[in-house]
Amino acid sequence: MRLFPAFFQMDDAHIVIFGDGTNAERKTRLVAKTRARIFLVAHARPDWADAFGDQIQLVEPEHAAGALETARFTIIALEDEAEAHRAYDLARASGVPINAVDRKALCDFTIPSILDRGDVVAAVATGGAAPVLAKDIRSRLETLLPERIGTLAALAERWRPAVKEAISDETRRRHFWESTLRGAVAEAVHANNDELAETLMAEALARFAADLTGTETGPVHIVGAGPGDPELLTLKAFRLIQQADVVYHDKLVSAEIMDMVRRDAERVPVGKSKGEHLVPQDGIHELMIASAREGKRVVRLKGGDPFIFGRGGEEVEALREAGIEAHVVPGISSALGCAANANIPLTHRDHAQTLTFVTGHAQKGGVPDLDWAGLAKPHQTVVVFMGVGTSAIISEKLRKAGLSGDTPVAVIENGTRKSEKRGFGQLAKLPQIIEEHSIKGPALLIIGDVAGLPAEAQDRIIAEALA
Ligand SMILES: C[S@@+](CC[C@H](N)C(=O)[O-])C[C@H]1O[C@@H](n2cnc3c(N)ncnc32)[C@H](O)[C@@H]1O
């Protein structure tokens, strides 16, 4: 390690910045995010300094030595080489740590790429080797550190004295912080509900102080994992699966997403494929309830969105009946993921003003009793989930209800995954399209004029190329 990270305490600090140009302005803007007072060494107060009000004070260059005497550090942001070296000599004589913009050889320290979340600050440095890389890493950290993590840290700081007084044992105190900062209190803060977070904190402290721990029940998060591409996971889903103690997941959740689950978390497959239930629905409810009652952070991870043909509603009801808090985190439904990947706009001003999601699989097998006449009406898109096995009947019922056999259809299997397959054609040939492309599922059927648009666009491109 050639660089050693350390954070300066800035509340009572004063910082000396040399210069009045763009670099000085940038560094001033950064330092001004703290509570430090800034002494700007320049011949005249630049216009941009007004934005910082009283936080900034102008120092004539001949008085710079005095300002440096008590500075926590100094930044030399001078363009002129000779002036920069003069400032360096002055700062060196006073012994304050020096950063000189764009002059690595004169630096005692470098200024990293900073991620500011209030009381939580992350810094990334590459020793000047690749600042762009440092910025990219910071952007990735941004997605990992929830927006309100600083608020959570501030809440912990406020409660620290009360917790120390109420729980004298250090190990139990650590357990208290683990259970609150990774549990319901943290969730309330992330959900913007600071009032609830305070109440939960007070309740948790009372429980720990009365030695009633182990009796608390964790909330269960029913989380949508999206159609398969891990990049389509929401930030919230990502955070929750990284925090979970136990993850009950469906077959439809892709292996890449399961790889993101915390290493030491329990992963329990409970999913179904084509009606084949690994664990019956009631059994899934019981497992989730039992884990939540053990105080575990439980995630129920489901393909697509939990509330679209996902039985998420039943799971929420079962948890609430058992007195367990249930939160649902939406996911990108396979209907949206598949359509986007295949360039099929599900609604279109000219072609489809209505969009309907239906299941092609009845609870007792076969096709469900759908409003076929309604589904056969023009200017709409029908997306059929779980319809591969019943595609021939679906095609027939729609045609009998009046929909033309020429209506465009698309069949998309494993949408958004590496193994995605797409078949296009007409409604009358739906079963043949499925057979031709050896589609077994999971797959969606998209029926309506919009399903013909990608092919039309392709024809147009070919025609234009030939013209
Ligand atoms: C039980 S439903 C779950 C739907 C899920 N909740 C959603 O919002 O996508 C399962 C059906 O969703 C569809 N499905 C799920 N993931 C898919 C994918 N990646 N590609 C195509 N269809 C998919 C298939 O029709 C599959 O049979």
Side-chain angles (χ1 to χ4, degrees):
M1 185 163 80
R2 286 173 49 226
L3 301 172
F4 185 82
F7 290 89
F8 283 102
Q9 173 54 254
M10 297 290 268
D11 283 359
D12 60 349
H14 82 246
I15 309 301
V16 175
I17 298 179
F18 287 85
D20 56 11
T22 316
N23 281 336
E25 182 185 356
R26 280 201 195 119
K27 296 303 178 205
T28 301
R29 196 171 296 287
L30 199 60
V31 174
K33 287 186 175 185
T34 70
R35 294 196 191 133
R37 274 184 70 73
I38 299 166
F39 291 97
L40 188 73
V41 182
H43 293 290
R45 191 175 170 97
D47 290 346
W48 53 258
D50 292 344
F52 304 99
D54 289 349
Q55 198 180 2
I56 207 170
Q57 188 180 320
L58 188 76
V59 175
E60 301 277 336
E62 53 270 34
H63 297 127
L68 283 165
E69 254 168 44
T70 51
R72 192 134 300 164
F73 61 78
T74 184
I75 298 174
I76 301 171
L78 291 161
E79 318 289 319
D80 184 84
E81 191 72 29
E83 273 189 55
H85 275 88
R86 261 199 305 280
Y88 173 82
D89 290 340
L90 209 56
R92 180 53 74 235
S94 68
V96 296
I98 301 168
N99 171 267
V101 179
D102 294 337
R103 290 187 176 89
K104 205 174 158 194
L106 303 188
C107 286
D108 293 325
F109 68 94
T110 52
I111 297 178
S113 197
I114 298 169
L115 173 60
D116 172 15
R117 292 277 197 261
D119 282 2
V120 176
V121 177
V124 183
T126 56
V132 171
L133 199 61
K135 284 202 180 100
D136 287 353
I137 296 169
R138 193 204 68 164
S139 302
R140 273 188 240 168
L141 281 176
E142 228 156 41
T143 63
L144 290 179
L145 287 181
E147 197 59 44
R148 303 202 85 233
I149 195 139
T151 310
L152 184 62
L155 176 136
E157 190 180 25
R158 271 199 312 281
W159 279 84
R160 192 163 297 283
V163 172
K164 202 161 182 192
E165 197 181 315
I167 312 168
S168 54
D169 180 72
E170 205 180 311
T171 311
R172 280 180 42 69
R173 222 164 38 229
R174 184 164 51 79
H175 287 161
F176 170 81
W177 286 118
E178 281 171 358
S179 90
T180 49
L181 297 184
R182 291 183 187 155
V185 171
E187 279 317 312
V189 171
H190 293 316
N192 254 321
N193 196 340
D194 294 347
E195 209 180 307
L196 176 66
E198 291 287 333
T199 309
L200 292 172
M201 197 73 176
E203 283 173 11
L205 188 55
R207 245 190 345 262
F208 265 77
D211 206 7
L212 291 172
T213 50
T215 59
E216 68 269 39
T217 306
V220 174
H221 285 92
I222 301 176
V223 178
D229 177 354
E231 293 211 310
L232 293 179
L233 202 64
T234 63
L235 293 179
K236 193 162 189 173
F238 180 66
R239 177 169 59 74
L240 289 167
I241 63 176
Q242 292 236 314
Q243 287 174 351
D245 297 312
V246 53
V247 177
Y248 293 108
H249 62 97
D250 277 354
K251 265 232 170 88
L252 279 177
V253 178
S254 69
E256 287 98 326
I257 287 174
M258 286 311 295
D259 280 348
M260 292 178 177
V261 171
R262 214 184 69 212
R263 240 157 237 252
D264 52 343
E266 233 182 297
R267 295 139 203 257
V268 187
V270 291
K272 336 136 213 196
S273 71
K274 284 208 202 135
E276 195 187 298
H277 295 247
L278 208 59
V279 178
Q281 191 64 40
D282 286 351
I284 297 175
H285 299 167
E286 280 164 25
L287 285 169
M288 290 194 292
I289 291 167
S291 295
R293 286 194 174 138
E294 283 168 29
K296 289 184 179 161
R297 281 160 293 169
V298 182
V299 163
R300 168 78 174 106
L301 195 55
K302 303 169 85 72
D305 179 85
F307 277 176
I308 295 185
F309 300 121
R311 303 188 77 171
E314 290 163 58
E315 293 179 2
V316 170
E317 271 166 36
L319 289 163
R320 296 213 168 130
E321 261 169 39
I324 291 164
E325 228 180 289
H327 301 285
V328 178
V329 178
I332 293 184
S333 173
S334 56
L336 307 184
C338 289
N341 252 22
N343 278 321
I344 300 173
L346 291 174
T347 66
H348 191 291
R349 276 210 313 192
D350 300 332
H351 304 287
Q353 289 85 47
T354 305
L355 169 64
T356 310
F357 290 171
V358 297
T359 170
H361 179 84
Q363 215 173 340
K364 294 187 184 113
V367 276
D369 187 16
L370 298 172
D371 172 14
W372 299 105
L375 295 175
K377 288 204 173 123
H379 307 300
Q380 65 169 318
T381 306
V382 177
V383 179
V384 186
F385 290 71
M386 297 168 279
V388 172
T390 50
S391 64
I393 313 173
I394 291 169
S395 164
E396 193 191 318
K397 293 236 182 216
L398 285 173
R399 280 179 291 136
K400 270 199 181 150
L403 193 59
S404 161
D406 292 339
T407 305
V409 293
V411 185
I412 300 162
E413 181 184 60
N414 282 319
T416 81
R417 299 171 190 220
K418 287 190 192 106
S419 52
E420 174 172 328
K421 274 191 210 166
R422 291 177 212 149
F424 292 92
Q426 279 88 40
L427 179 65
K429 302 236 174 81
L430 183 56
Q432 288 92 313
I433 301 168
I434 289 174
E435 206 182 312
E436 251 169 49
H437 291 83
S438 309
I439 287 173
K440 308 265 180 303
L444 286 176
L445 320 178
I446 302 180
I447 303 169
D449 288 343
V450 292
L453 294 178
E456 247 178 51
Q458 245 165 18
D459 290 348
R460 217 175 21 248
I461 291 166
I462 293 168
E464 277 166 14
L466 291 174

